[in-house]
Amino acid sequence: FNTTPTALTIKYLPSGSRSLEQGTYYSIQDAGTGETITPFSTGSIVSCDSQGNYFNVDMNAFQPERYYKFLVKVVRGSGVDQTSMIYDEDYEFKVVR
């Protein structure tokens, strides 16, 4: 018996690193053309705090009235046991003026 519902338990993705060897990273694509605007890189690390994972995006860098899409890449393990998964859940957003 738990006093906290399982659905309220915060789960964390692995923190990103500057070496791109492990962690969680995001990418942003133009939803209409599929062009990568923000690639998976050391500049797109997903951060973590006591509330869960997050990342900040400067919306001034995007063209207004266009749709964009988030992708998330999780790199775990090392050496021959390293795995890399890209998650595309079709999370789209529109930049408005």
Side-chain angles (χ1 to χ4, degrees):
F1 180 76
N2 283 332
T3 57
T4 304
T6 320
L8 297 179
T9 302
I10 298 173
K11 298 189 171 49
Y12 301 96
L13 294 168
S15 297
S17 68
R18 296 285 173 202
S19 65
L20 288 178
E21 292 179 15
Q22 290 191 48
T24 306
Y25 307 87
Y26 69 90
S27 176
I28 301 174
Q29 290 183 347
D30 184 297
T33 65
E35 177 185 2
T36 298
I37 307 300
T38 304
F40 297 114
S41 71
T42 57
S44 66
I45 294 174
V46 175
S47 299
C48 184
D49 65 13
S50 63
Q51 300 293 311
N53 294 92
Y54 68 94
F55 52 90
N56 296 316
V57 177
D58 180 8
M59 292 298 176
N60 292 322
F62 297 94
Q63 184 175 345
E65 305 305 318
R66 290 200 60 89
Y67 287 91
Y68 298 92
K69 179 167 74 168
F70 288 115
L71 291 98
V72 176
K73 179 179 182 178
V74 179
V75 182
R76 299 174 64 177
S78 63
V80 294
D81 293 327
Q82 186 177 51
T83 60
S84 177
M85 299 286 295
I86 296 177
Y87 298 92
D88 180 359
E89 302 294 328
D90 287 325
Y91 296 133
E92 292 186 5
F93 64 96
K94 180 180 179 181
V95 176
V96 295
R97 294 174 197 229

